[in-house]
Amino acid sequence: MAKNLYNVHYKSNFSFKKIKDNIDKILNESVVDISTEFAKKSKENIDKGLNPELKASTLNARDLGLSSFSGHNPKPSPNNDIPLRYTDRLYNSIKGTKKGVEAVSYALEHEKGFQGTTGRVPARPFLAKSIDKKNYEKLGEAIMAKITKGMKK
């Protein structure tokens, strides 16, 4: 019988079982973090102004509390002279979730443009397609920190 020349032992400061048990939670939290950043950026896009600007007729109608959408009884916001901020219902609905960025059902209509009751409503793309490098890196670091914490013994 051969004699063992080496006696090897190892120790680790992480647990594969712990990361396996925690990975779904970590990934779900990370999706919410990422979609929340995209939601913030989408709101920033609205805040900095969208083109085309509102027509004088739209601004006049808003001053009178009128809406070009049948059945829509708006309560104007203080920002009612900014596209997509008339009632702030759309704006306030934009949020990050575990399913991605969510908003009211008509948000995509404004993104793409549509036929309104008094004419064509132009597209005003506001949904974020990317986030800035600083926030991207910050998210990456936060995800790695969660993974590291999730596998430590």
Side-chain angles (χ1 to χ4, degrees), residues 42 46 50-52 54 58 62 67-69 72 82-91 93-94 103-117 119-127 129:
S42 296
I46 293 171
L50 299 170
N51 288 316
L54 297 173
T58 301
R62 286 182 173 193
S67 173
S68 61
F69 304 101
H72 185 237
I82 300 170
L84 307 186
R85 296 291 307 263
Y86 185 22
T87 65
D88 274 344
R89 185 170 164 229
L90 183 153
Y91 185 87
S93 75
I94 302 169
V104 290
S105 60
Y106 56 86
L108 285 179
E109 292 179 34
H110 285 285
E111 177 81 7
K112 297 176 181 181
F114 60 98
Q115 185 63 41
T117 54
R120 180 97 185 127
V121 177
R124 290 192 173 92
F126 67 94
L127 293 172
K129 314 297 187 273

Side-chain angles (χ1 to χ4, degrees), residues 9 26 29 32 38 58-59 63 78 100 111 123 133 135 146-147:
H9 297 277
I26 292 167
E29 288 173 0
V32 172
F38 275 85
T58 301
L59 292 169
D63 286 343
E111 177 81 7
K133 185 177 178 179
N135 287 339
K146 286 178 185 182
I147 291 171

